[in-house]
Amino acid sequence: MWIAMLKEKIKTPMKFFLSKSHNLWGGNINVYKALCTALTNHESSLHKEWCDQISEKDNNSRTGTLLIRDQLTRKYSVNFSKYITEKVDIAQLMIYHRLPIPRRLQLKVQRKDMMYERYIYAEGIVKRYNQLREMIPDVFYNLINFELMKMDKLMIPLLNTIKWSSNGAMNIMHDVMSNFNYSEAFIKTLADLNYILRNEIENIAQYLLIKLPDHPVWPHEFKELNKIYLEDTMKHISDKSIFIEDVFNYVIKLIIYRVNDKYSFKDEESMYNFFNVNRALEDIKDTDG
């Protein structure tokens, strides 16, 4: 390319001098022509070598999968080499200078928008996968390993069979994203329930079983005062305990349903039954445990 640019810059001044008089150059005109011939031959040689290298690397890049996974960290990444963008840019410059390029590279130049679109979408899949893993509450992490296995299973085609040149690559990636929606809804629900559980447990921990009066009182008054206070406190604790139990039961039920590849309860009206205030205020029975 630098040779073509050099010849382009020399061409205009040479035309000017040759238009004046050939005698000004004498034998130097032959040197100029020989230089142009040498540069052209060198350019052809470099171009042929570049085409051979491109063809060899292109065969390797076409067989590459969309994603790869690190064997140590087990993290996914997009298998998109910087070399691909570089060779497309160089190929466009070659076309500008009217130099031939390999046929497969011509196709890449023509379909570069589609290729970059696949790259962006594949990168979005990896980012969303990582975000979903980070959203999982630590307390439920071991309980929902099956969900991570489902997500990893969705990624298998992108690791093994789907190449950059595959016609159905975008359809497969759309399916992966669509299934991630279910995983996201499930994980977000668990995260919300985890927040509710932690908040209620922290509230219970703040209750005191003994109340100190603001002023001196007789022992029997102190005993009577704390008796009333303790009854009220235990009632609040029992109400919150019932609420926490209902939430936790809902969590377990939700996990079981998700294990069976279901995304919601059959009875949608009972999904948020643990918010029932009347249920929380009922007296504790012996059968409640």
Side-chain angles (χ1 to χ4, degrees):
M1 290 181 292
W2 63 270
I3 295 176
M5 295 173 63
L6 180 62
K7 289 166 62 178
E8 188 69 25
K9 290 183 178 181
I10 294 176
K11 185 184 297 183
T12 301
M14 285 302 299
K15 283 184 178 180
F16 172 78
F17 285 113
L18 291 176
S19 64
K20 299 300 180 182
S21 175
H22 288 275
N23 296 328
L24 291 175
W25 286 86
N28 292 332
I29 188 65
N30 296 326
V31 176
Y32 166 72
K33 291 181 179 179
L35 176 63
C36 290
T37 302
L39 289 175
T40 301
N41 293 335
H42 186 58
E43 181 182 42
S44 300
S45 176
L46 291 177
H47 180 261
K48 183 179 183 303
E49 183 179 350
W50 177 80
C51 288
D52 293 339
Q53 292 177 356
I54 284 293
S55 299
E56 181 180 354
K57 291 182 179 180
D58 186 63
N59 289 331
N60 296 331
S61 65
R62 285 188 302 106
T63 57
T65 56
L66 288 175
L67 301 181
I68 55 176
R69 194 174 194 183
D70 190 274
Q71 296 298 325
L72 296 177
T73 62
R74 306 302 295 166
K75 290 185 177 180
Y76 294 100
S77 60
V78 181
N79 187 23
F80 192 82
S81 174
K82 183 181 178 182
Y83 160 77
I84 297 177
T85 56
E86 289 180 351
K87 73 176 182 180
V88 169
D89 293 339
I90 294 174
Q92 288 180 312
L93 192 56
M94 290 283 189
I95 294 174
Y96 174 77
H97 289 291
R98 299 180 180 179
L99 294 173
I101 61 175
R103 183 179 178 184
R104 290 192 177 277
L105 190 53
Q106 292 179 16
L107 294 176
K108 277 189 170 59
V109 173
Q110 295 172 0
R111 305 173 68 181
K112 68 173 184 176
D113 292 337
M114 182 194 70
M115 183 172 58
Y116 292 156
E117 180 185 6
R118 290 185 178 184
Y119 165 72
I120 293 173
Y121 206 91
E123 193 174 49
I125 288 177
V126 173
K127 287 182 179 179
R128 192 173 186 192
Y129 174 88
N130 294 333
Q131 290 172 353
L132 291 177
R133 287 187 68 101
E134 293 174 358
M135 286 170 55
I136 299 175
D138 294 338
V139 68
F140 297 132
Y141 200 89
N142 292 331
L143 283 175
I144 63 170
N145 271 336
F146 66 90
E147 190 65 31
L148 299 178
M149 293 174 64
K150 288 180 181 180
M151 293 168 59
D152 288 332
K153 188 176 180 180
L154 292 171
M155 305 285 261
I156 289 177
L158 305 181
L159 291 170
N160 297 328
T161 57
I162 304 301
K163 317 294 183 182
W164 286 100
S165 57
S166 300
N167 292 328
M170 285 303 296
N171 292 333
I172 296 296
M173 288 193 288
H174 282 307
D175 290 340
V176 172
M177 275 294 198
S178 177
N179 282 278
F180 276 3
N181 291 335
Y182 296 113
S183 298
E184 182 177 7
F186 171 66
I187 293 173
K188 278 186 175 180
T189 303
L190 281 183
D192 293 340
L193 295 174
N194 177 63
Y195 173 79
I196 294 173
L197 288 172
R198 293 186 60 175
N199 188 53
E200 292 300 323
I201 292 173
E202 289 175 358
N203 288 339
I204 289 179
Q206 294 176 2
Y207 281 106
L208 299 176
L209 299 181
I210 296 178
K211 181 180 180 181
L212 297 177
D214 298 331
H215 52 83
V217 296
W218 292 101
H220 68 278
E221 293 177 351
F222 177 77
K223 182 178 180 181
E224 187 65 25
L225 179 65
N226 273 275
K227 180 180 179 181
I228 298 173
Y229 172 77
L230 184 60
E231 290 177 355
D232 293 338
T233 302
M234 292 305 298
K235 187 176 186 307
H236 288 302
I237 291 176
S238 65
D239 292 341
K240 288 187 175 294
S241 298
I242 293 173
F243 177 78
I244 291 173
E245 181 182 355
D246 288 342
V247 174
F248 191 76
N249 287 336
Y250 176 82
V251 169
I252 299 302
K253 189 183 296 185
L254 180 65
I255 292 175
I256 293 174
Y257 267 77
R258 186 62 178 141
V259 168
N260 296 324
D261 286 327
K262 297 178 181 179
Y263 308 113
S264 62
F265 294 153
K266 294 180 180 179
D267 185 9
E268 299 289 341
E269 296 180 356
S270 64
M271 286 184 65
Y272 302 101
N273 192 41
F274 54 84
F275 287 118
N276 188 342
V277 178
N278 296 326
R279 172 73 175 87
L281 296 177
E282 290 180 0
D283 295 333
I284 298 178
K285 302 177 183 178
D286 295 337
T287 56
D288 290 338

